[in-house]
Amino acid sequence: MVELEQIEIPSQDEIGALNAATEVLNAETNESDELKDPAQKSNDEDSKPTAEYALHILFTRFVRFSEKKLTLFASQNNTNVEDVLGSGADPEFDLILESLGHVAQRRPKPVIDSLMYWRKTKRDQFNVSLASLYILCRALMEVVRQTPHEVLGVRLSEKLEDIIFNQLITTDLVVAHNDGIRGANWRYLARLLGEMSAFRLASISHRFTIELDKKMSTVTSANSKKDESKVTLLLETMQFLKIQMYP
């Protein structure tokens, strides 16, 4: 028998994130149900509880593992983020992230929305906020890698691309290049866009072209060294784009 003292009470952040996961899944389910005919709705009824339960249980594990890792990272000064939060640092956490990607293969929206909600709860403390962005990037990478782009859909792809690109360009690239956690986040954001460029190359390339034009137009003799560094780092980011060469 499990003693009362052994039961792990979820924190308020955990409860909020888990409730959000259930709400976005229900909302997404109801929205998709409106587009189905009655026969298809009936056939899908049996699968709803299973899908909701699977995401709830999985997201419970994600939140609890993430909370512990963020606490560990925040308690250690000058720690390499990849040593604590990176791939291979904790095989069990790696499996949780991979499983989130697996769930997203058929229903990416509730997974992405739940992850975004969780990330919003981590923006108060500086180091925790930066580390939570790293975890978010890792989770989104699994979603993007495992979800067929036709399942991800145009609207959700555009939304995700917009969030990632805006996060990337609002990062101080010069500081990120010389800062551990910021640099790790910058690289992951760039890799995420690179992964999405496999099926959204034209849109992502266009965003980079516009941003490069803006940066080039601000290069002046007074601060040319700093501006040139920003342009150089932006070009380095573009190396992750998956450009297909045709004969």
Side-chain angles (χ1 to χ4, degrees):
M1 178 179 294
V2 178
E3 298 294 335
L4 184 61
E5 290 79 4
Q6 294 177 298
I7 300 177
E8 187 172 1
I9 308 288
S11 67
Q12 289 300 315
D13 282 349
E14 291 177 339
I15 293 173
L18 295 175
N19 288 339
T22 301
E23 289 174 5
V24 296
L25 179 58
N26 290 337
E28 189 266 352
T29 300
N30 293 334
E31 181 180 349
S32 62
D33 280 351
E34 293 177 358
L35 304 176
K36 297 177 181 178
D37 57 60
Q40 189 177 5
K41 287 183 182 180
S42 177
N43 291 335
D44 287 347
E45 285 298 324
D46 292 339
S47 65
K48 284 184 185 178
T50 302
E52 293 171 5
Y53 184 74
L55 178 57
H56 186 81
I57 293 300
L58 182 58
F59 204 71
T60 299
R61 299 193 67 202
F62 166 79
V63 170
R64 288 182 172 171
F65 266 75
S66 297
E67 295 300 321
K68 291 176 181 178
K69 290 194 168 296
L70 289 175
T71 300
L72 177 61
F73 179 77
S75 67
Q76 300 179 0
N77 295 324
N78 300 319
T79 301
N80 187 332
V81 63
E82 295 179 355
D83 291 341
V84 179
L85 306 176
S87 177
D90 185 340
E92 191 170 0
F93 189 54
D94 293 348
L95 182 59
I96 292 173
L97 297 180
E98 291 172 9
S99 298
L100 282 173
H102 181 76
V103 172
Q105 288 179 10
R106 297 184 61 184
R107 313 183 79 175
K109 188 177 186 301
V111 176
I112 293 174
D113 287 350
S114 298
L115 289 169
M116 293 298 182
Y117 179 89
W118 171 81
R119 157 71 175 147
K120 286 181 181 179
T121 66
K122 304 300 168 193
R123 291 183 175 177
D124 294 334
Q125 295 169 304
F126 183 68
N127 285 337
V128 170
S129 177
L130 291 174
S132 68
L133 177 59
Y134 184 89
I135 292 177
L136 174 66
C137 287
R138 285 200 61 197
L140 290 178
M141 181 65 81
E142 291 296 334
V143 172
V144 172
R145 280 177 175 170
Q146 295 191 48
T147 307
H149 61 86
E150 61 271 14
V151 175
L152 199 59
V154 175
R155 289 177 59 186
L156 190 55
S157 296
E158 288 177 346
K159 177 183 176 182
L160 191 57
E161 176 189 317
D162 191 58
I163 292 172
I164 297 170
F165 190 83
N166 286 332
Q167 182 71 50
L168 181 70
I169 64 173
T170 54
T171 301
D172 189 325
L173 299 181
V174 177
V175 173
H177 194 65
N178 299 289
D179 183 271
I181 179 63
R182 289 189 181 88
N185 286 341
W186 169 61
R187 287 189 295 274
Y188 239 117
L189 289 166
R191 287 173 57 195
L192 261 173
L193 285 176
E195 196 69 27
M196 293 190 69
S197 71
F199 54 93
R200 295 190 61 83
L201 180 60
S203 175
I204 294 174
S205 298
H206 182 64
R207 288 178 184 268
F208 272 109
T209 300
I210 293 175
E211 195 61 29
L212 280 170
D213 288 342
K214 290 180 182 178
K215 290 287 189 295
M216 292 296 293
S217 66
T218 60
V219 174
T220 63
S221 57
N223 59 351
S224 60
K225 187 174 182 180
K226 183 177 181 179
D227 289 336
E228 287 175 2
S229 296
K230 291 181 179 179
V231 171
T232 299
L233 291 173
L234 195 59
L235 289 171
E236 287 183 12
T237 306
M238 295 180 68
Q239 70 178 309
F240 293 97
L241 300 184
K242 296 184 178 180
I243 301 176
Q244 297 181 353
M245 304 298 293
Y246 295 96

